[in-house]
Amino acid sequence: MSRVAKKPIDLGKVELNVQSDSVIAKGPKGTLSLAKPAGIAINVDNGVATLSAESAELVALTGTVRAILANMVKGVSEGFERKLELVGVGYRAAMQGKDLSLSLGFSHPVVFVAPEGITITTPTQTEILVQGADKQVVGEVAAKIRAFRKPEPYKGKGVKYSDEVIIRKEAKKA
């Protein structure tokens, strides 16, 4: 089996309910579910979950399922977050109820409606914090917000991830 699939998952305070066709993780931050592939066995003993494959063809899939389960356990216990920064004169973000209103240099403000289970906050006018229990959805929402105005390589203006490094280009010379 793969090295990833062999590692046990420490559940901590999370309750993992394994059924024949799905796995449900319940924790303080919410509930997440995963459709369990046939042929992969999930065993829960003393707060530790282990996975095993029934055939050689499912070994690669077992590592993937283990990584997704580990992210589910971390999500319902601690949660995930992505931080975005707005770089540019006049670029700002503000919350209007549950909607995010972005001023990104267009003739109109861009309004983004947060999906269910995702919390968007703006600590300052140039910072956006996306939080939630599902790692995939948090990343997808952050990518959608970034897509409204991607950072450009000459001045670095746009919406960027806080840990992203923009490689700058040199302007044309006369």
Side-chain angles (χ1 to χ4, degrees):
M1 221 172 6
S2 73
R3 283 180 239 162
V4 174
K6 287 181 185 177
K7 285 180 69 176
I9 303 169
D10 184 27
L11 299 177
K13 299 175 185 174
V14 177
E15 177 186 327
L16 200 65
N17 185 4
V18 181
Q19 298 167 350
S20 62
D21 59 344
S22 67
V23 181
I24 300 169
K26 291 182 184 176
K29 297 273 185 178
T31 304
L32 293 175
S33 63
L34 169 71
K36 186 176 83 101
I40 294 179
I42 301 171
N43 302 320
V44 179
D45 292 323
N46 299 328
V48 176
T50 55
L51 280 77
S52 59
E54 293 176 7
S55 66
E57 292 83 26
L58 294 172
V59 169
L61 187 61
T62 307
T64 304
V65 171
R66 188 252 176 231
I68 293 170
L69 270 176
N71 285 334
M72 283 174 48
V73 169
K74 183 180 177 189
V76 296
S77 61
E78 302 168 23
F80 291 99
E81 70 177 31
R82 284 301 296 231
K83 188 175 179 183
L84 298 160
E85 295 175 353
L86 283 82
V87 179
V89 177
Y91 287 15
R92 55 181 123 259
M95 293 301 295
Q96 294 178 339
K98 291 190 175 191
D99 300 341
L100 177 68
S101 177
L102 299 164
S103 298
L104 298 173
F106 299 120
S107 62
H108 58 282
V110 177
V111 178
F112 181 79
V113 180
E116 195 67 34
I118 296 295
T119 306
I120 299 176
T121 55
T122 53
T124 64
Q125 288 185 338
T126 59
E127 290 180 346
I128 303 168
L129 200 61
V130 181
Q131 298 173 317
D134 193 345
K135 184 176 185 177
Q136 189 266 330
V137 176
V138 168
E140 183 180 343
V141 167
K144 283 181 181 178
I145 293 171
R146 181 181 180 271
F148 288 128
R149 178 75 79 167
K150 290 185 181 176
E152 52 96 13
Y154 295 101
K155 291 185 180 179
K157 291 171 36 172
V159 181
K160 70 179 195 86
Y161 297 116
S162 63
D163 57 352
E164 183 179 11
V165 177
I166 307 299
I167 299 173
R168 307 285 291 272
K169 287 185 178 180
E170 193 173 326
K172 283 187 178 179
K173 295 195 175 167

